[in-house]
Structure formats: C-alpha cells, structure tokens
Amino acid sequence: MIDITLPDGSVRKYERGVTALEIAQSISEGLARNVLSAKVNDQVIDATRPINENAKVQLLTWNDQEGKATMWHSSAHLMAEAVENLYPGVKFGIGPDIENGFYYDIDFGEYTISDSDFKKIEDKMLEFAREKQTFQREEVSKKDALKYFNEKGDEYKLELINELEDGEITFYKSGDFVDLCRGPHLPDTSPIKAVKVLSLAGAYWRGNENRKQLTRLYGITFPKKKELDEYLVRLEEAKKRDHRKIGKELELFTFSQNVGQGLPLWLPNGAIIRERLEQFLKKVQKDAGYLPVISPHIGNVNLYKTSGHYDKYGSDSFQPIKTPIEGEEFFLKPMNCPHHCEIYKSRPVSYKDLPLRLAEFGTVYRYEQSGELHGLTRVRGFTQDDAHIFCTPDQVKDEFKGVMAIVMKIFKALDFKDFIVQISLRDKEDKTKYIGSDENWDKAEQAIMEVAEESGLDTIVEYGEAAFYGPKMDFMVKDALGRKWQLGTIQVDYNLPERFELEYTGSDNEKHRPVMIHRAPFGSMERFVAVLIEHTSGKFPLWLTPEQAIILPISEKYQKYAEKVLKFLNNSEIRAQIDDRSEKTGRKIRDAELKRIPFMLIVGEKEEESNTVSVRQQGTGDLGTFELQAFADLIHKEVEKATENNN
RNA sequence: GCCAUUGUAGCUCAGGGGUAGAGCACUUCCUUGGUAAGGAAGAGGUCAUGAGUUCAAUUCUCAUCAAUGGCUCCA
C-alpha cells in the first residue's frame, strides 16, 4: 500500500500502481468523470498512469489551468488525427497547447488549405471525439521511434527524435493517429464536446525563417458547447475594444496610402490626448531634473557608423537621403541617442554636471517589415518620450530607480495595473551578438537586478533578449486580444559612451567615462495611446479626454444661454462644445454617449432661469442640477485627483 | 519579408459577366423637442490600382498596393 496525500492534506491508502483516475473514482463517480489529468509530486501526468510510491496527488479538472492544458494538448492530437484522415500523407511538426487553445504546425504538401476547410476538420474532430478514443502511452526506443517516422516519411518528427535521448521517448496513440509526445493526455476524447478551428497561419519550422514554412492551425475546445459560444462572444467583445476600431469611431487617428504604410496621421481628437500626455510627462520630468533638448530628424551616416547602428541595421533601414551636390548621406534617425551624445559633447563636462538628463519627444523612423505593421502599436514613424541620462558609474543605480518611479507614476495615473516587468539580459550561450566588454555587461546586468529586487515588483528575467548594446528592463502590457506590447523601457548602456568617447572631468581632475541610461516611460506615444484606448475602450480619464463636456440645448431658444455656459466653461479651462443641431434631446444624448463624452450638460428653460446646468454623466446617467461654478469645481476636483497622485 | 484571407459610398456591409444597392453619417426642408435614434427630400462610388481573357469585366485570371490573423523581425 502507498500513501496518497490530497491537496486538502488528507492521506489515503491505495494499492501500489493505483491511477489518479482510480483515486477519483474512490472519491466520487462525478469527480472521476471530470478528471483530465493529475499532478503527482508537482509533475503533471496522465490520469491513467500508475503511481508506485507515496505521493502528493492533485486531480486536475477543467477548473485548473493545467487541466485545460491537458485537454487542449489532447485536442491538438485530435485535430492532427482529423487532418491526417482528411488529407492523407500530410506531415506534422509540433502541436502544443497555448494560453487559449492549441495549434498544430502541419506540412500540407500538395494540399492547399484555407479557412473554408475548417468546418470539415471540426466535424471530423467531433466525430472522433464521440468515439471516446483513448490516449495510449507507449515508451519506445529511439531506434523504433526513428523507424516508425522514417516509414511514415515525416522528416519533422525524425528531426525531433534525433535530438532526444534513448529511453525518454514516448508515443501516444489515439484512434489511428500516433504521435511523438511527452504527454500528458486525457484518458479519452470524451470530454471534448465543442471544437473550433480558429485560424490558420504560416509558421516557420522551428521558428527559423530560413527553413520551410508550415501551416499552423489554431484551435480551441471546450467540455460544453455553451462555453465555446461564450468564448466566441468574449472574442467579439474584445474586438470592439480594438484601438483601430475605436480610433476610427472617435476620430483619433488615420492612415493614408498616399502618406505610406505604417505612418499614422493624428487627427485633432487624438492629438489632444497625445498633447495632454506629453504635458503631463514634461512636468514630471521637469520636477525630476530633466533638461529639454531638440534634435533634427536626420543624421549624417557617420553618426551611425560611430554609434555602431550602421553595421547592425544599415541595410535594414530606410536607405540614406543624399545631398544633390556633395553626395553626403543622411539617415532618417531611427533613435535619438547618437544626437544626444553629440549634445553631451558640445562642451566640457564636469562631474558636478552629472547626472545630466537630456529629454526629447523625438520622432524616429524605422523600416519595419510590412507584415509586422499593426495599427498604432507597430508603425514606421513614431515619437519616443526619450531621454538619456549621463552619469557616473556610482549614480547608475539611483538614476535607474528614479526612472522606475516615473514609470510607476504614469502607470498609476492611468490605472495600468496589469503589466509585466521584464528584465532582458544577454544570451548566456552566444555573446557574439553584442557589442561591448564582458566586464561592462556584467556591471550593467548586476545594477538592474539589484534595483529590480529593491523595487519589490514581480519581474521576469529573459536571457538573450537584451538590446545589442546593453541589458534592459521593459514594461509590457497586454492589448484587448491578449497580445503583449512593450511600453516603457529602461536600458543601461556602457557602449555608446565608449563609441562616442564621452568624458567628464572627475574631482581628481582626471578624465572619466560616463554611463548612459536610455529610457522612455511611455515607450512610444503611438503605442501607448493604442494601449490606453484598448484599456479604456475609448473612455479616457477626464484629464485626457478631448472633449470633457458637451452642452445640449433643449431647443434653439436656449442657444444663447448655451453659449453663455460654453464661455464660462472655456474660461474655466474646461474643454467643451455645444451640440446645436436641430435634433431632439434624446438624440443628442445618444450621440454624446457614443462619443464617450464624460459630461452632458442639458440646458432649457429651468436652467436658464436659475443659471444652472442639468448634468448627465456618460455611462452613469442624470446627476441632477448644478450651479455653473459647482460643475466647474466638480471637473477640477476630478482632474486634480488624477493628477495629484502623479505629482 | 513569408503563409492565409480581404479590398464595393465617409462608416458597417449586401450583390454579382450586360457599367451598382441598404442602413447609418452628410446636405436641405419640416419639426422646437427634457435624459440613448422625430419626419421628408437630396447628394455621394472609374466597385483599391494596372494588365489580360471576353462582343462586354466591378464580377473571371495574373500582377501591384493596402488591410486583417499569424510566423520571422523589432536599435
């Protein structure tokens, strides 16, 4: 007999070789029906695998993320089985579960497949699922594994098997489909009641663009039809928050083929929001000792040869502009740092001048691959809220901390709670991708790790994700559809000061090399506004919104009074307009609601007589009658509340 | 850049080898109204661009451009 410890701490005795499924059955039939897999001593395994020694066992169901993962992983096999049945001879790459569902990379060979084929794949999957096919695990020798896929002619699986050790190779068989797989899997296919093949995409084998592109099919499955329907509704809801859609509806920005791909045009409403954000950050930065600078949009090719960017990105940039007579070459600036280095060099610097913090909302241009462009989040021309801090090595940590404080201030002001802090360090294996000395890299990486630890924020560390010139800390936020975007960034750089031979005179009257910190709390104005739109569904905080109030006269008779109210509001620094169309009040309210204008001020006979406004709040409803000054105070108080936190 | 899909009025979309339609928005007129759509009339499109097939192409074919979902990339 062995002791099985359940999550509630209770210990039960079972025969050696008991399975999680049997344990579930011993507790209740209902539980047994719902068990998808099991966590045994922190390892997730098939619910049908024997347990041979004392263990902690957690039964995993649809309510556990790991249970879902098991179901989706098995669903990937089910989809592969369906595809193999419908398109004999196709070859398979990998097919893992993902955050929402699963995918399988498939080489369809001669077949061409499009989304019109999804239905029959789904139908076949459901057909197999209803057969209650079991997932049978089999340990196979490397030799036998190679033999099987050699006969099948699947070079992708052969490649994977060749990288595995003999003795750790397992196959799973469901129906007629046999796959190389570590598992775990469902006991059988019966929990899969609703399936949806979501999309198809090209995906390079092993993520390498020089290798063959396979067809990736994305799908998701559920134990109940209703849950699938709800998921699809949620997807539709999320799409309504898409910044591209809201940007169009609220007239925030647009694109024109005549201007060019990835080159956003900010419309007045969007420009107001962006300006407000810039003003806000400028004030914060002024208080934090930053100095404004302005640099041109192009720079001589030699500047980028000095910085090292020319070698690294020269051929992947917009190509140089040439002067007609001299033939001098200029690049559109892809970043502001080389210009700022030259500003640093414009006069001798003493240690007393440090830290020197040079800030600029600098517009940069990068040639992004056409397939990568995406609304405002990935563009070819954008404005960074950039600054470069030049300091002594001793000041790095404090400066880094100071920047983090600014990022947190911004996130707090805009109520961004759900962000990821990622620290990107060098690839441990391949250090040839980076410029700069080992010693300097170690110093920089250590400083970041220390500050991160002291900040108390949850961080994730990624090796191999560093910029080529230094390690960095990025602040990532998810968009409406769960895609991650990098916003703020802080990067330590020991390399550019070397390349530009930056110096300062120390208290010892010797020359020393400063350290540089690149930082952009918003990241880019374009991307930040995009994420802000998706987080707020276009209901911007009062201090940012383009139009804070709209005055709705009941009829033309009250136009004069409406103008008086408008004048008062404008004098009180409140952004407002009058809806003077000859429409009914209900219509004006509806339109203002849809435009997400925070306050609607209804004025008619009553209001004119008493010198008041009837206030309706967007999304909330009637707030009652306010004296003009009382309404202005209400707005000012709310704006202050939001901005006070920030200062 | 690669794979798949898409491109018809300002927006959302229907249509289809014989030179185009709806709703909303817009303009004008009527209506002067109290918390999410008042009524009528009118104006709007080389059917993304270019070539080919055809008596005839917005519709079929090809190319180009752009957008969408991914992959790769992202100083």
Side-chain angles (χ1 to χ4, degrees):
Chain A
M1 297 294 268
I2 54 172
D3 290 339
I4 298 296
T5 310
L6 295 171
D8 65 0
S10 64
V11 180
R12 288 163 170 250
K13 289 208 181 294
Y14 290 96
E15 294 288 340
R16 188 175 302 275
V18 69
T19 67
L21 195 58
E22 287 160 359
I23 294 171
Q25 269 156 355
S26 75
I27 297 171
S28 88
E29 265 310 313
L31 182 58
R33 271 198 303 275
N34 287 321
V35 167
L36 302 176
S37 56
K39 201 176 197 175
V40 177
N41 294 333
D42 294 326
Q43 198 195 347
V44 182
I45 62 165
D46 303 330
T48 51
R49 277 191 59 191
I51 300 167
N52 291 319
E53 49 202 51
N54 294 348
K56 279 191 306 185
V57 172
Q58 184 189 354
L59 302 169
L60 298 171
T61 69
W62 183 248
N63 294 323
D64 304 292
Q65 192 54 44
E66 288 144 318
K68 286 190 173 82
T70 304
M71 166 116 151
W72 284 334
H73 187 183
S74 296
S75 299
H77 281 231
L78 182 66
M79 181 170 75
E81 185 186 348
V83 166
E84 186 164 62
N85 181 280
L86 293 165
Y87 309 92
V90 298
K91 299 166 192 175
F92 294 94
I94 55 165
D97 58 274
I98 52 178
E99 196 175 343
N100 287 302
F102 55 90
Y103 67 78
Y104 218 118
D105 284 349
I106 302 166
D107 182 348
F108 276 90
E110 296 304 303
Y111 302 105
T112 46
I113 189 156
S114 79
D115 45 17
S116 56
D117 299 302
F118 291 177
K119 182 75 174 62
K120 64 181 173 201
I121 296 172
E122 290 165 4
D123 290 345
K124 191 57 86 176
M125 285 173 74
L126 283 171
E127 184 187 321
F128 289 151
R130 277 192 291 264
E131 287 173 9
K132 210 174 172 181
Q133 296 178 355
T134 54
F135 286 90
Q136 287 157 3
R137 183 173 188 276
E138 188 191 348
E139 289 175 13
V140 288
S141 68
K142 188 163 180 171
K143 194 174 141 228
D144 288 347
L146 288 171
K147 183 161 171 270
Y148 178 83
F149 281 106
N150 207 14
E151 280 167 12
K152 198 178 173 191
D154 192 328
E155 65 260 32
Y156 307 104
K157 293 294 179 190
L158 286 173
E159 185 176 329
L160 294 173
I161 292 166
N162 270 318
E163 290 168 19
L164 295 172
E165 297 294 325
D166 203 359
E168 61 173 21
I169 297 169
T170 50
F171 281 3
Y172 275 84
K173 183 167 191 284
S174 52
D176 293 329
F177 181 70
V178 176
D179 203 358
L180 167 72
C181 186
R182 193 181 297 124
H185 281 288
L186 304 175
D188 63 62
T189 55
S190 61
I192 302 172
K193 293 280 187 355
V195 312
K196 184 85 189 166
V197 178
L198 291 167
S199 64
L200 131 186
Y204 299 106
W205 172 234
R206 318 214 82 177
N208 184 337
E209 65 177 319
N210 298 315
R211 304 201 61 181
K212 179 152 186 177
Q213 193 166 55
L214 309 181
T215 302
R216 176 171 298 178
L217 285 178
Y218 284 90
I220 194 163
T221 55
F222 292 91
K224 286 186 188 138
K225 174 80 165 63
K226 190 165 159 247
E227 286 189 59
L228 171 61
D229 293 340
E230 283 166 1
Y231 175 78
L232 295 176
V233 168
R234 273 206 306 283
L235 264 189
E236 288 306 310
E237 290 296 317
K239 280 183 190 156
K240 287 182 192 160
R241 298 208 317 270
D242 191 313
H243 76 277
R244 291 164 299 188
K245 184 172 159 61
I246 293 176
K248 205 177 263 179
E249 285 167 4
L250 300 185
E251 297 183 10
L252 302 175
F253 60 89
T254 189
F255 289 89
S256 159
Q257 285 195 32
N258 295 325
V259 173
Q261 239 189 326
L263 298 170
L265 298 166
W266 290 78
L267 302 175
N269 288 338
I272 290 174
I273 293 170
R274 175 170 156 175
E275 264 178 9
R276 305 284 307 163
L277 286 169
E278 289 182 0
Q279 282 165 16
F280 166 63
L281 182 58
K282 275 179 183 166
K283 183 171 184 313
V284 171
Q285 288 183 164
K286 195 177 167 203
D287 295 345
Y290 285 75
L291 303 171
V293 293
I294 296 171
S295 62
H297 287 224
I298 62 175
N300 194 290
V301 62
N302 293 320
L303 188 66
Y304 303 106
K305 284 184 178 164
T306 301
S307 72
H309 293 107
Y310 181 82
D311 279 347
K312 185 93 180 168
Y313 292 104
S315 53
D316 290 329
S317 299
F318 284 116
Q319 290 306 288
I321 307 163
K322 283 188 191 171
T323 55
I325 313 270
E326 304 85 344
E328 277 183 300
E329 294 190 344
F330 294 86
F331 274 97
L332 280 166
K333 73 174 171 189
M335 81 291 295
N336 304 296
C337 28
H339 288 76
H340 289 187
C341 285
E342 291 299 321
I343 290 173
Y344 179 95
K345 286 173 84 170
S346 65
R347 66 177 170 95
V349 176
S350 152
Y351 74 97
K352 294 175 184 171
D353 298 320
L354 304 182
L356 182 63
R357 309 180 187 92
L358 304 180
E360 171 176 17
F361 283 85
T363 304
V364 296
Y365 301 89
R366 296 178 184 176
Y367 173 76
E368 303 287 1
Q369 297 188 106
S370 60
E372 251 328 308
L373 300 173
H374 183 96
L376 281 187
T377 48
R378 191 79 184 268
V379 287
R380 285 179 169 171
F382 57 96
T383 301
Q384 295 177 312
D385 55 327
D386 211 358
H388 295 95
I389 300 172
F390 301 88
C391 60
T392 69
D394 290 344
Q395 293 167 333
V396 167
K397 243 181 98 172
D398 279 346
E399 288 304 306
F400 203 95
K401 261 191 201 165
V403 175
M404 272 185 87
I406 292 178
V407 175
M408 288 305 120
K409 197 173 272 192
I410 289 168
F411 279 19
K412 204 174 157 199
L414 293 164
D415 211 23
F416 278 14
K417 294 192 183 98
D418 198 14
F419 57 87
I420 301 159
V421 184
Q422 178 179 315
I423 296 173
S424 300
L425 305 179
R426 265 178 309 180
D427 191 329
K428 286 173 173 169
E429 312 294 319
D430 179 13
K431 295 187 174 175
T432 59
K433 295 188 281 190
Y434 310 98
I435 58 179
S437 75
D438 252 14
E439 184 199 346
N440 282 342
W441 270 86
D442 289 343
K443 244 194 269 181
E445 292 185 344
Q446 201 189 334
I448 293 187
M449 295 299 276
E450 282 173 17
V451 172
E453 186 147 333
E454 288 166 22
S455 76
L457 289 169
D458 285 337
T459 55
I460 52 172
V461 178
E462 295 281 353
Y463 292 91
E465 290 293 311
F468 79 90
Y469 56 75
K472 58 181 181 174
M473 176 185 279
D474 293 322
F475 297 82
M476 335 265 278
V477 176
K478 283 186 186 172
D479 71 10
L481 289 173
R483 291 174 291 220
K484 267 195 278 177
W485 297 99
Q486 178 209 306
L487 295 178
T489 180
I490 317 173
Q491 315 184 351
V492 177
D493 184 352
Y494 286 94
N495 294 311
L496 275 192
E498 295 271 343
R499 290 186 156 264
F500 279 90
E501 298 177 343
L502 304 183
E503 289 178 340
Y504 65 90
T505 307
S507 55
D508 55 4
N509 202 28
E510 298 288 326
K511 298 290 186 197
H512 298 276
R513 186 125 293 162
V515 180
M516 206 172 158
I517 298 173
H518 311 247
R519 45 108 278 175
F522 289 134
S524 95
M525 300 313 292
E526 285 73 10
R527 182 175 289 177
F528 192 86
V529 168
V531 171
L532 185 64
I533 291 168
E534 306 210 349
H535 276 231
T536 58
S537 305
K539 286 174 72 169
F540 301 104
L542 194 59
W543 65 280
L544 276 182
T545 200
E547 222 173 307
Q548 293 170 314
I550 187 158
I551 303 160
L552 311 180
I554 293 289
S555 83
E556 281 167 18
K557 285 186 241 163
Y558 312 106
Q559 176 68 14
K560 275 255 157 54
Y561 179 62
E563 280 164 19
K564 190 182 148 195
V565 173
L566 179 66
K567 203 167 165 196
F568 175 85
L569 294 179
N570 285 344
N571 286 338
S572 310
E573 308 263 306
I574 292 168
R575 298 185 290 280
Q577 284 191 28
I578 300 173
D579 183 349
D580 57 6
R581 295 173 303 164
S582 81
E583 292 291 349
K584 290 190 164 182
T585 310
R587 177 53 178 274
K588 293 182 182 180
I589 286 170
R590 177 184 154 79
D591 289 345
E593 286 278 349
L594 290 177
K595 278 158 79 181
R596 282 94 150 168
I597 300 171
F599 292 101
M600 286 150 262
L601 307 180
I602 294 137
V603 297
E605 193 176 355
K606 265 189 324 200
E607 290 78 13
E608 179 162 21
E609 276 170 8
S610 58
N611 214 29
T612 57
V613 288
S614 260
V615 179
R616 180 190 164 100
Q617 188 166 20
Q618 201 269 348
T620 305
D622 199 352
L623 296 188
T625 305
F626 281 67
E627 303 274 337
L628 291 185
Q629 189 59 50
F631 174 70
D633 291 344
L634 174 80
I635 298 257
H636 292 147
K637 216 177 270 173
E638 275 216 37
V639 169
E640 260 169 49
K641 203 167 73 191
T643 33
E644 220 170 61
N645 282 335
N646 317 316
N647 294 323

